Amino acid sequence: MRALAQYVMRGPLQAGGVAAVTTALPLLFWIGAAVVGLVILRLGISQGLNIGLWALLPALGWSWFGQDPTALAVLLQVMLMASVLRTTLSWERALLGGSFLAIVTGLLLPVAYPGLLDDLVQAGVSFYEQYNADVARTLGSDLEQVIRDTMNASMAGTYLATGIGMTMLARAWQAGLYNPGGFRKEFHALKLSPAVAVVCAVTMVIGPMLGLNSMLLVWAAGTPLFMASVALVHGIVGRRNMSGQWLVLFYIALVLLGPTLMILLVVLAFVDSWLDIRRRIKPAGPAE
């Protein structure tokens, strides 16, 4: 990956070519998005947008002719978050920008791709009616709407998560080439401000009261809190000079416990926004 980043930074022809080719190839769109993010972060928004046009054409092709908005949605997420990060040097604001775009994406998907969502909903209804009839009977006529909201939120949330991952990959490439260790230090310090944490928490709670797609709001508002909690774990491990095996165990637990641990992490990030847990932990040092 480092060699790829070095090649991309040789010039606009190399960057544009890699962005266009990888976005056009199936399952490699994420590399194109990360390349555009790297150019924005390193060379500026204007030059990054020029390279982004190279990736935008095949992404639009997938979106229009292939009826698959994934490449386009992720590319736009990365371009927005990288631009915000370049301008403000704030991961908090970059994540908020991505969350806002995820909500917009969730609202546009049913309008722009009704056929795609209808196919997914029908597949979901058939699955529940065949393999989980109790749930289907319990929900009754609401089953289709619940599945539709779930599919819509899952798609928009997945685009957001992938966009965050590619923006971080671009930032890691930039740090590896020009500022070794910079991304690690930056990520370990990621913490939401109390005001933003409150807004995220309220957004997740208020959705059902307003009759909105609560799952979409949970994805959008919960993701910044979740990322802050992951950064907190990494920050504590780094501050205490603990072995990397602790992070391996953390991610294994995250996979095994799933939503239960995620909820605890979101709560932890909310608390950390007020208490700044990392500052209260004494750094590990040589034994006296």
Side-chain angles (χ1 to χ4, degrees):
M1 282 296 182
R2 180 184 176 87
L4 177 62
Q6 289 175 326
Y7 176 77
V8 163
M9 296 309 297
R10 289 182 182 178
L13 183 62
Q14 290 85 347
V18 172
V21 170
T22 53
T23 304
L25 293 175
L27 302 180
L28 291 181
F29 64 90
W30 55 275
I31 296 179
V35 166
V36 175
L38 172 61
V39 176
I40 291 175
L41 291 171
R42 178 60 184 174
L43 301 179
I45 297 175
S46 177
Q47 193 155 342
L49 293 180
N50 290 334
I51 301 302
L53 291 176
W54 291 60
L56 188 62
L57 293 176
L60 286 172
W62 280 110
S63 177
W64 181 261
F65 297 105
Q67 286 295 292
D68 183 0
T70 303
L72 178 61
V74 172
L75 176 62
L76 293 178
Q77 281 281 2
V78 173
M79 292 174 70
L80 174 62
M81 286 189 284
S83 298
V84 173
L85 185 59
R86 163 83 184 191
T87 304
T88 66
L89 299 178
S90 169
W91 271 107
E92 178 185 72
R93 295 183 181 181
L95 291 174
L96 289 179
S99 294
F100 173 77
L101 185 55
I103 294 175
V104 174
T105 301
L107 295 176
L108 291 178
L109 281 174
V111 178
Y113 299 94
L116 174 61
L117 278 176
D118 287 342
D119 291 341
L120 293 174
V121 170
Q122 291 305 316
V125 170
S126 299
F127 174 84
Y128 273 96
E129 289 178 345
Q130 184 173 358
Y131 297 104
N132 206 334
D134 292 339
V135 173
R137 282 194 298 269
T138 301
L139 293 175
S141 59
D142 294 332
L143 176 62
E144 182 174 334
Q145 187 59 48
V146 170
I147 294 177
R148 184 175 298 275
D149 289 345
T150 302
M151 293 294 184
N152 191 8
S154 297
M155 291 175 67
T158 301
Y159 300 154
L160 171 61
T162 307
I164 291 173
M166 294 310 99
T167 305
M168 288 189 167
L169 176 60
R171 193 64 158 179
W173 282 349
Q174 181 192 23
L177 293 176
Y178 307 106
N179 183 26
F183 174 69
R184 180 178 184 271
K185 181 179 179 181
E186 191 175 70
F187 182 63
H188 285 190
L190 172 59
K191 182 179 77 71
L192 300 185
S193 64
V196 170
V198 169
V199 169
C200 289
V202 170
T203 301
M204 288 190 290
V205 173
I206 203 174
M209 301 178 185
L210 299 178
L212 302 175
N213 186 340
S214 58
M215 296 183 194
L216 175 60
L217 294 182
V218 167
W219 263 102
T223 298
L225 284 167
F226 176 73
M227 293 305 304
S229 69
V230 174
L232 172 61
V233 173
H234 278 256
I236 292 174
V237 171
R239 193 168 178 82
R240 295 297 301 168
N241 288 331
M242 299 166 67
S243 168
Q245 293 179 350
W246 286 99
L247 292 177
V248 174
L249 292 175
F250 166 70
Y251 284 108
I252 291 175
L254 190 59
V255 171
L256 295 178
L257 298 179
T260 302
L261 183 54
M262 287 183 180
I263 293 173
L264 292 176
L265 289 171
V266 167
V267 173
L268 180 62
F270 183 84
V271 173
D272 179 56
S273 68
W274 296 86
L275 298 182
D276 195 358
I277 297 173
R278 273 158 290 199
R279 184 175 59 84
R280 298 170 182 271
I281 295 178
K282 184 179 179 180
E288 297 182 357

